[in-house]
Amino acid sequence: MLLYMKKGLFLVLLLCFIGVYSCSDDIGHQINGQWQLKTVDENGVSTKVDTIFYSFQRGSIFSFTTLVNENEAWISYGYVNVLSDNQLLISMDTTKNADGNYQIITHNFKELSGWNNLYNTFMVESIDGKNMVLSSEGKIYSFKKH
């Protein structure tokens, strides 16, 4: 009887642990998925965007997708590091091929992203299941979960 109680207690504790982990409120868990960039606000000017997507996988892989037209998209890849409860560092993969060109960053990434570098630190201003707001270098990026 005591053996069954121990097994039962172990299963209850295991299920509780899995439930807490899967419903985590940490940023690494909340950002998972694809987010469509809707607006970029800078110096009081809001620019609407609908062709750029930020994708986060498992809180460590990042992709930046630009829709060129209905049949073509440019994708650049990088990594995301959760620095704190409300801060992310995104670094693009700067691996180069034999010609010296970046293997998985589009040639005009900085122009398309509006970033000054191939890495950027973002503050997470707000996030829920449908919307996310990030800020960096005086810009506010508003996203909708896609």
Side-chain angles (χ1 to χ4, degrees), residues 55-126:
S55 299
F56 301 91
Q57 296 174 10
R58 295 186 197 103
S60 60
I61 305 297
F62 172 75
S63 68
F64 178 92
T65 305
T66 304
L67 300 179
V68 178
N69 58 49
E70 63 184 39
N71 298 317
E72 184 179 6
W74 293 338
I75 303 175
S76 299
Y77 293 98
Y79 310 96
V80 61
N81 293 314
V82 177
L83 302 176
S84 69
D85 288 343
N86 63 346
Q87 195 173 32
L88 306 170
L89 172 64
I90 300 175
S91 305
M92 301 312 294
D93 187 332
T94 56
T95 304
K96 293 185 178 184
N97 62 20
D99 297 330
N101 298 316
Y102 294 117
Q103 287 185 358
I104 49 180
I105 299 176
T106 60
H107 65 283
N108 55 350
F109 170 79
K110 286 199 276 186
E111 177 187 337
L112 294 170
S113 67
W115 300 7
N116 294 324
N117 299 296
L118 293 177
Y119 58 88
N120 205 350
T121 302
F122 291 93
M123 295 299 296
V124 179
E125 302 296 336
S126 65

Side-chain angles (χ1 to χ4, degrees), residues 18-35:
I18 291 170
V20 167
Y21 181 75
S22 66
C23 297
S24 176
D25 285 339
D26 73 334
I27 294 300
H29 180 76
Q30 289 183 326
I31 64 170
N32 277 334
Q34 187 172 40
W35 298 86

